[in-house]
Amino acid sequence: MITRSTIAVFEQEMKQYATELRDIGLVIDREPERIAEFTHLVSLRTINRMMIPPEYGGEPIVTVGQERYYGLSCLERVIAIEELSAGDAGVFLGSPGPSMSSVIISALADSQQKERYYSHFLKGPAWSFFALTEPEKGSDATGIGTRISRNKEGRLNLDGQKYYIGNGSRASIGLVFAQTNRTPLGIQIALVDTSVQGFSATPLDTMGVRGVQLSHLTLDGFPLAEEDIIGRHLSPTKRGLWGALQTFHRMRPGVAALALGVARAAYDYVKEQRSVFSEREKVELERLEMRLHSLRSMIRSAAAEIDADVQKGYLASLSKIRAGALAEEATELALDLMGPGSMIDHPLLNKWYRDARAFEFMEGTTSIQKINVFQAYANGKMKHA
């Protein structure tokens, strides 16, 4: 577990990997499918093994001080994600590894399912997906149209479509949210092997974070077994949607850290490219720097709070709101400070400006996060903000 005294060492380790992501960022932005050419890089090999517990073959990130981290705590993840996103958020999101699905696997899967899932990444670079969002329904879990049903032979089938699914067209395994009946307890999560007949995926063309290659998934009579249902060993109230809601709290600070990384990259870029500023520009940059530091503190506090009690997700929602807004404002300011034509003359700023607009739609929009915060306030759970 990371501590205050070891944070700086861990940050420095992540900065080394971030440099490799920056080097290939523009290449992957132009041609997302080429990311497979770079899986030999130390950074991508490290991301591929992040979030795999040691009992399932995970290899730690070992710092110069010999501390060992697996990325299993929320605090470890937000520190790593901020640094890697400051290198390049698109490459990080498009890199092989357990990714978001690992949070649900860790919290809800049985030992057999964990073994099956994590083994994909121990064999070499492999991608995973997390499929909740659907066409015309968005990420409204209560309106899921994908269904798990039994055919005439009594076997389980999975049918439906998922949209805007990161790494969906290159993944070998993933999680699909589906309905067994029209009640909250009827929502289940299926573990899907994409090599099985009945699964297909088509990449979508997007403006931002193109490295993650958002995809349209189709499940047509996809065969399931009982052991494919995540949390089958748990009671209905602790698996499916009810269980997943707890894991969403663990994911949200990571999205905030992604946005913070992009905002920081834009700030650092301006400071590197220019040495002389007007008084107005100095004030704007100083204000941005203070906001970056304040947001980092909030995100890490949110992560530490969730590590202590997963029910306390309101600070994570606040962090996500502020981080998404700051990423957009920081990239706009950077383009303004670099002058007319900066969209063309500075391809990295162009890319980060586009990437920053994606975070609003990850892990719940601002409206959803505000509802989370209000509910926490109404229930008397907010002690600070």
Side-chain angles (χ1 to χ4, degrees):
M1 182 70 71
I2 198 163
T3 64
R4 289 180 181 271
S5 62
T6 59
I7 283 177
V9 178
F10 187 50
E11 287 175 334
Q12 194 58 42
E13 188 73 20
M14 290 296 104
K15 280 183 171 68
Q16 298 178 37
Y17 302 137
T19 300
E20 288 191 337
L21 302 193
R22 175 73 60 85
D23 290 342
I24 63 173
L26 291 175
V27 174
I28 302 306
D29 187 59
R30 289 192 301 269
E31 303 172 86
E33 68 280 358
R34 289 187 59 189
I35 198 164
E37 298 176 20
F38 299 98
T39 54
H40 64 282
L41 296 177
V42 174
S43 54
L44 268 66
R45 294 206 311 269
T46 300
I47 294 170
N48 184 67
R49 71 171 189 259
M50 281 178 66
M51 300 173 67
I52 301 178
E55 60 268 31
Y56 292 98
E59 297 178 21
I61 299 167
V62 182
T63 67
V64 292
Q66 296 304 302
E67 292 88 2
R68 302 161 73 86
Y69 304 108
Y70 292 87
L72 299 178
S73 75
C74 196
L75 182 56
E76 287 177 16
R77 287 196 297 274
V78 297
I79 293 170
I81 290 171
E82 179 194 336
E83 296 299 337
L84 295 172
S85 180
D88 193 89
V91 177
F92 169 69
L93 289 170
S95 294
S99 191
M100 286 175 60
S101 293
S102 181
V103 178
I104 283 185
I105 291 292
S106 176
L108 303 179
D110 62 30
S111 58
Q112 183 185 45
Q113 291 166 338
K114 289 177 181 178
E115 184 73 38
R116 176 180 161 194
Y117 178 79
Y118 292 125
S119 67
H120 277 253
F121 311 99
L122 302 179
K123 300 169 186 174
W127 284 263
S128 63
F129 65 77
F130 179 93
L132 173 60
T133 308
E134 296 189 356
E136 301 179 0
K137 296 184 177 68
S139 55
D140 177 12
T142 60
I144 288 175
T146 303
R147 299 300 301 270
I148 297 174
S149 58
R150 291 193 182 274
N151 59 24
K152 294 179 180 179
E153 291 76 32
R155 296 172 184 166
L156 294 176
N157 279 347
L158 181 61
D159 294 274
Q161 297 185 59
K162 297 293 183 179
Y163 215 63
Y164 301 131
I165 307 306
N167 295 315
S169 60
R170 56 170 69 116
S172 60
I173 197 167
L175 299 180
V176 174
F177 282 73
Q179 286 264 17
T180 57
N181 58 66
R182 294 295 182 181
T183 69
L185 295 181
I187 297 174
Q188 302 294 336
I189 308 169
L191 185 59
V192 167
D193 184 331
T194 64
S195 64
V196 176
Q197 187 174 358
F199 175 92
S200 61
T202 305
L204 301 171
D205 192 22
T206 59
M207 291 288 291
V209 288
R210 285 171 49 78
V212 75
Q213 204 166 55
L214 296 178
S215 303
H216 179 188
L217 310 186
T218 300
L219 298 130
D220 185 7
F222 186 91
L224 290 176
E226 297 291 346
E227 55 266 28
D228 296 329
I229 306 301
I230 298 297
R232 57 183 175 149
H233 60 301
L234 301 173
S235 69
T237 58
K238 292 183 179 180
R239 65 179 187 230
L241 178 61
W242 296 106
L245 285 174
Q246 306 306 314
T247 67
F248 293 161
H249 291 325
R250 295 187 175 100
M251 297 175 187
R252 204 161 285 133
V255 178
L258 277 169
L260 172 59
V262 171
R264 206 184 88 197
Y267 168 82
D268 290 342
Y269 186 87
V270 172
K271 297 284 284 186
E272 291 165 4
Q273 295 292 316
R274 288 187 54 181
S275 56
V276 179
F277 299 93
S278 68
E279 287 304 313
R280 177 189 66 83
E281 290 171 337
K282 288 179 182 178
V283 170
E284 288 180 322
L285 283 171
E286 287 172 359
R287 180 170 178 268
L288 175 56
E289 183 182 20
M290 287 189 291
R291 292 177 69 192
L292 290 171
H293 287 301
S294 175
L295 179 59
R296 178 180 298 111
S297 177
M298 174 179 276
I299 293 171
R300 293 183 181 181
S301 294
E305 193 165 80
I306 287 170
D307 282 333
D309 183 355
V310 73
Q311 303 283 346
K312 295 182 178 179
Y314 70 87
L315 193 56
S317 289
L318 278 173
S319 299
K320 203 271 183 178
I321 292 170
R322 294 187 180 180
L326 187 58
E328 294 186 17
E329 293 173 31
T331 52
E332 287 178 5
L333 176 62
L335 286 167
D336 179 58
L337 293 176
M338 295 310 297
S342 54
M343 272 283 200
I344 297 172
D345 297 335
H346 300 276
L348 281 172
L349 285 183
N350 180 311
K351 179 187 185 304
W352 295 334
Y353 176 86
R354 289 182 282 111
D355 288 350
R357 272 74 199 155
F359 303 124
E360 167 66 12
F361 304 99
M362 293 183 185
E363 199 50 51
T365 62
T366 295
S367 297
I368 298 298
Q369 305 306 331
K370 286 182 177 180
I371 291 172
N372 292 340
V373 174
F374 173 76
Q375 289 175 337
Y377 174 77
N379 293 329
K381 294 181 179 179
M382 293 185 67
K383 295 180 181 178
H384 57 276

